[in-house]
Amino acid sequence: MEKNYAIESNKLSIHYGHFTAVRDVSIKIEPQKITAIIGPSGCGKSTLLRALNRMNDFVPGCHVTGELLLQGQNLYGRDIDPVEVRRKIGMVFQKPNPFPKSIYENIAWGARINGFKGKMDDLVEQSLRSAALWDEVKDKLQESAYALSGGQQQRLCIARTIAIQPEIILMDEPASALDPISTLRIEELMQELKKNYTIIIVTHNMQQAARASDFTAMMMIDDQRAGGVIEFDETKKIFTRPQDKRTEDYVTGRFG
Amino acid sequence: MNKNMNTNNHYPQGQDFRHVLNARYRVATVWQTLFLSALLIAIISLMALIYNVVDGAFGYIAYEYKNDPSEFTSTPLAELTQEELAAILKENLSSGAYKKLNNEQPVAERSQADLFTLFMERLVQLDTKGTWSMTDSLMNGEEIRAEVAKKYPKAQLEFRSWLTPQFLVTPMSSKAEFAGVRTAVLGSLWLVGIAILFALPIGTGAAIYLQEYAPKNWFTSIIQTNINNLAGVPSIVYGMLGLAIFVRVLEPLTSGALFGVTDSNGRTILSAGLTMGVLVLPLIIINAQEAIKAVPDSLRQAAYGVGATRWQTVWYHVLPNSLPGILTGSILALSRALGETAPLIVVGASTFISLDPSGPFSKFTALPIQIYQWTTRAQSEFHAIAAGAIIVLLVLLLSLNATAVLLRNRFQRRW
Ligand SMILES: Nc1ncnc2c1ncn2[C@@H]1O[C@H](COP(=O)(O)OP(=O)(O)OP(=O)(O)O)[C@@H](O)[C@H]1O
Ligand SMILES: [Mg+2]
């Protein structure tokens, strides 16, 4: 029986010049679930994540082979416009990077350039509410986004991404620069968001992966230093009955 | 036993450490002194320069009237009105000369100051016997007075500033006492304006293309190297280029023939301004590139991340955030364009012109040209007005730069 996947990759490899950073990744991501990507530093998690919405187009020398299918369409196909891909697959970066504009404008800009026709004020409020930021900023929408704390900025970036209503949200260690409380808020937020969105998150935090995700992809480099997904399964299984010895070592902290 | 003294610690301890530290401080002191002296030398050179200019612009002047003013009027010089002056001129000038004046601008419409200058210049006819620098005048006043009294018994000695409001608003004249920088200042402003209008958009555009669009390959790196080198090409070369292209090849355009201007050749303000524009183009491109490079990639990613096209990213984020840097570059460019002389001579600046430039197709002169002209004259009063003109140039430079800085600070609104 054919199942509907949010996005699926087929022998996807990513190269920086002659160096293959990620090799032969074939995974199927379930819609409206949270999928965590874990693995040691330098194994290609960020590289893989960026490849999913063609953010790596801007890295000189980076190219991709294999297939990446969104609703049966190869995102690396000839007639695909990367701008459209990024419109459908939003991204939240490791370091909060709000625009040097007002809080309001941070959300409105993306909507405006994408031709949003509804009421902007409503969209801003709704996005900020979904990102659990509304109560903290509702009185200072016209103030600089840079005046927010790191955790607030990160939630603003999430709100900005939600505002353009993508189908999938990619998050690269969104909580790595945040304190435990902000981290928890972002995790709660992800649970809320998953009702409407498919979320793929890179994390170094095993508890976070175990707590917050439904599926987990374990990445590891091979002897040529190319990263690959060595195990991909339900998070429960990865953390309780891993099939691969290396996964078991890693999730139990015995790695390296 | 001291724990720190164990065999694994290879760092100096106690007394030894203090010795090493003192040696480090000594080195630091030497360098600090060197830097301070460098700064002092720079300041002293600058002061010397300013002193030198100011020294020339003020001082004693000894002059005689060829014809005494009382031959023309009984009114004291300071109280002559516009009407009186017009009448005197009409009476005493030859009819041909008066007609010529009237043709340039009707005498009745001329200002009192203008007529007074004409009166002094044409009728009274000042004859300068000598000028002295400011230092000379202040230190050796007695001797100068004695000398003048002996050599030129009829001469009047006066301490004068060559830099007067009058100097700013009167056009060129063959007599230094009545010459002004009006034409040259206007010419310079036109030049700089045309140069910036030409070079700023083109330079910024080129920088954006090179930084944001151009693929990094051998071809673009050749272009990049060329631009960097062009910034160092001697300005006279740009003058030759301007002569060949703007004055000769594009003559129909730069002379205004295409727009129905008939009494002009290619040696116009437009040609000179474009030449200056080309001259400052590399400077603007390089500065704009640096400014664009300084925009963090995370900002571009943020924009692309919400589905912006490359152009939207550039237009809404990269450009506004690099604008202060781009404007800094244009400040440098502006200063350069204002001070360059050689290319203007090659392109054909007029050396004697008393008509205000009226548009891009006028003949022109510029401040540096005027200064250069005056310094090459033998009479010392021309050196004095050259010094005055240099002060005008410096003040103009400072005020144009100040405008650009204000503009930049306005754009530099930080979030
Ligand atoms: N722009 C780039 N150019 C060349 N090589 C790169 C580039 N970015 C990453 N790499 C290489 O690709 C490999 C994977 O890097 P990546 O950033 O994807 O790792 P990661 O798993 O995200 O690590 P971390 O957990 O530390 O963030 C590394 O060997 C890295 O050196
Ligand atoms: Mg990473």
Side-chain angles (χ1 to χ4, degrees):
Chain A
M1 192 194 86
E2 249 326 90
K3 215 175 149 187
N4 249 339
Y5 291 106
I7 190 165
E8 68 184 278
S9 74
N10 198 353
K11 285 195 169 295
L12 191 73
S13 299
I14 306 150
H15 320 267
Y16 292 112
H18 295 294
F19 170 63
T20 302
V22 171
R23 197 194 312 273
D24 290 345
V25 170
S26 303
I27 47 174
K28 296 172 158 71
I29 306 285
E30 300 238 1
Q32 289 170 27
K33 290 277 180 315
I34 299 174
T35 304
I37 302 178
I38 59 172
S41 184
C43 69
K45 305 180 295 294
S46 300
T47 301
L48 176 62
L49 199 71
R50 277 201 301 269
L52 297 184
N53 75 339
R54 298 196 57 170
M55 229 33 206
N56 55 5
D57 285 14
F58 303 107
V59 181
C62 182
H63 63 281
V64 172
T65 52
E67 275 185 326
L68 180 66
L69 300 171
L70 182 81
Q71 293 149 357
Q73 233 183 355
N74 186 5
L75 294 186
Y76 283 91
R78 248 165 207 290
D79 48 350
I80 293 291
D81 185 345
V83 172
E84 200 180 330
V85 174
R86 285 179 222 121
R87 162 83 190 74
K88 285 185 188 155
I89 307 179
M91 186 151 190
V92 177
F93 299 85
Q94 176 167 358
K95 238 182 88 198
N97 58 348
F99 297 122
K101 292 173 184 290
S102 68
I103 294 169
Y104 185 97
E105 209 35 43
N106 257 275
I107 290 163
W109 190 75
R112 206 177 298 129
I113 58 160
N114 282 302
F116 177 72
K117 288 204 211 64
K119 267 198 78 190
M120 192 61 83
D121 290 354
D122 294 346
L123 178 75
V124 170
E125 174 171 351
Q126 199 189 321
S127 309
L128 285 170
R129 276 190 196 284
S130 328
L133 190 59
W134 175 252
D135 291 330
E136 286 154 76
V137 303
K138 63 177 178 228
D139 300 321
K140 46 179 183 179
L141 289 178
Q142 294 309 327
E143 280 172 38
S144 167
Y146 280 15
L148 297 175
S149 77
Q152 290 172 326
Q153 287 187 11
Q154 194 60 296
R155 274 178 282 148
L156 180 64
C157 291
I158 293 174
R160 173 176 80 189
T161 306
I162 300 169
I164 61 167
Q165 296 175 340
E167 289 159 27
I168 302 173
I169 299 177
L170 310 175
M171 298 184 180
D172 193 349
E173 300 181 45
S176 70
L178 307 184
D179 67 285
I181 295 174
S182 307
T183 304
L184 268 183
R185 299 201 64 159
I186 292 202
E187 279 175 29
E188 285 164 20
L189 177 56
M190 289 186 336
Q191 298 308 323
E192 201 53 41
L193 292 177
K194 105 182 182 186
K195 291 173 191 155
N196 297 309
Y197 302 95
T198 306
I199 296 174
I200 305 176
I201 175 173
V202 167
T203 177
H204 275 295
N205 182 334
M206 287 309 110
Q207 287 99 14
Q208 186 174 52
R211 255 191 327 253
S213 71
D214 304 303
F215 291 87
T216 299
M218 172 69 203
M219 287 183 77
M220 192 72 86
I221 50 171
D222 62 14
D223 44 10
Q224 278 145 18
R225 302 197 46 246
V229 173
I230 57 167
E231 197 169 347
F232 177 48
D233 215 326
E234 281 175 39
T235 299
K236 254 188 298 180
K237 278 198 196 145
I238 293 274
F239 280 88
T240 53
R241 284 167 279 124
Q243 304 296 302
D244 197 298
K245 180 79 174 64
R246 290 170 294 176
T247 311
E248 186 180 342
D249 287 349
Y250 187 77
V251 298
T252 53
R254 254 177 289 152
F255 174 81
Chain B
M1 207 184 126
N2 191 339
K3 258 191 188 168
N4 282 335
M5 295 298 263
N6 69 37
T7 46
N8 281 333
N9 192 330
H10 297 293
Y11 291 100
Q13 304 291 334
Q15 201 57 35
D16 283 350
F17 173 76
R18 236 151 282 137
H19 281 308
V20 173
L21 188 61
N22 282 334
R24 278 153 61 191
Y25 281 138
R26 273 196 298 280
V27 174
T29 315
V30 169
W31 281 106
Q32 214 175 335
T33 319
L34 280 177
F35 293 147
L36 185 65
S37 10
L39 180 67
L40 284 178
I41 291 173
I43 291 179
I44 290 172
S45 328
L46 208 66
M47 301 289 273
L49 179 98
I50 292 175
Y51 167 75
N52 192 26
V53 172
V54 171
D55 193 35
F58 304 90
Y60 275 128
I61 171 176
Y63 60 89
E64 287 173 4
Y65 292 135
K66 247 193 194 138
N67 309 307
D68 200 83
S70 57
E71 291 170 27
F72 305 102
T73 172
S74 51
T75 324
L77 281 186
E79 290 166 24
L80 283 168
T81 62
Q82 201 261 355
E83 288 82 15
E84 277 175 290
L85 284 164
I88 297 171
L89 284 170
K90 183 159 190 178
E91 221 165 280
N92 295 291
L93 280 175
S94 70
S95 62
Y98 185 78
K99 226 187 212 145
K100 204 167 154 231
L101 267 186
N102 229 348
N103 278 345
E104 275 170 23
Q105 194 188 352
V107 170
E109 290 171 20
R110 290 175 180 242
S111 67
Q112 192 267 348
D114 192 11
L115 293 180
F116 185 75
T117 305
L118 283 167
F119 169 65
M120 295 301 282
E121 186 181 352
R122 303 280 180 90
L123 299 175
V124 177
Q125 295 192 13
L126 266 188
D127 188 14
T128 301
K129 294 298 181 190
T131 62
W132 289 265
S133 73
M134 182 176 76
T135 322
D136 220 12
S137 308
L138 295 179
M139 309 295 277
N140 312 318
E142 282 306 316
E143 286 142 59
I144 294 172
R145 272 191 285 277
E147 185 192 335
V148 170
K150 205 168 95 207
K151 274 210 218 133
Y152 317 106
K154 281 203 299 180
Q156 315 197 23
L157 191 67
E158 190 181 289
F159 189 92
R160 94 169 251 189
S161 154
W162 292 92
L163 187 67
T164 55
Q166 194 66 25
F167 184 65
L168 296 179
V169 296
T170 32
M172 184 61 183
S173 159
S174 56
K175 301 285 289 172
E177 297 82 351
F178 304 108
V181 287
R182 175 194 176 98
T183 333
V185 168
L186 289 175
S188 275
L189 289 176
W190 268 99
L191 271 184
V192 171
I194 291 175
I196 290 292
L197 278 184
F198 170 77
L200 195 57
I202 293 186
T204 310
I208 288 176
Y209 185 81
L210 281 172
Q211 283 311 120
E212 299 289 321
Y213 288 88
K216 302 272 171 284
N217 55 26
W218 62 270
F219 183 66
T220 44
S221 66
I222 287 179
I223 290 185
Q224 186 68 60
T225 316
N226 267 317
I227 291 173
N228 296 346
N229 288 328
L230 278 175
V233 167
S235 56
I236 189 99
V237 177
Y238 284 98
M240 311 292 289
L241 178 94
L243 181 67
I245 296 189
F246 298 124
V247 177
R248 302 259 160 81
V249 177
L250 296 178
E251 169 150 16
L253 192 77
T254 52
S255 69
L258 278 181
F259 310 98
V261 178
T262 47
D263 60 338
S264 169
N265 57 20
R267 298 170 180 276
T268 54
I269 275 197
L270 184 60
S271 294
L274 291 176
T275 307
M276 284 299 190
V278 175
L279 180 112
V280 297
L281 198 54
L283 207 66
I284 291 191
I285 296 181
I286 293 171
N287 272 289
Q289 276 186 293
E290 289 305 319
I292 290 169
K293 258 187 232 166
V295 175
D297 259 341
S298 62
L299 185 55
R300 292 185 183 85
Q301 287 174 352
Y304 290 132
V306 292
T309 62
R310 199 180 276 261
W311 184 81
Q312 285 170 324
T313 306
V314 168
W315 182 254
Y316 290 103
H317 295 291
V318 176
L319 206 52
N321 281 285
S322 52
L323 209 53
I326 294 176
L327 284 174
T328 307
S330 63
I331 293 176
L332 290 173
L334 206 131
S335 314
R336 177 116 197 251
L338 198 61
E340 278 294 347
T341 322
L344 294 182
I345 296 179
V346 179
V347 173
S350 311
T351 46
F352 188 93
I353 182 172
S354 57
L355 273 181
D356 288 352
S358 58
F361 307 119
S362 312
K363 292 213 238 10
F364 71 98
T365 186
L367 263 176
I369 296 278
Q370 198 74 86
I371 292 167
Y372 168 71
Q373 260 318 136
W374 284 338
T375 50
T376 55
R377 300 284 288 259
Q379 302 97 315
S380 65
E381 59 268 31
F382 279 103
H383 302 169
I385 55 173
I390 290 173
I391 295 180
V392 175
L393 180 63
L394 290 179
V395 170
L396 195 63
L397 195 67
L398 287 180
S399 42
L400 282 182
N401 282 2
T403 319
V405 170
L406 284 180
L407 216 67
R408 182 184 67 190
N409 292 348
R410 247 190 73 102
F411 282 118
Q412 214 160 19
R413 180 163 175 215
R414 280 267 156 252
W415 281 95

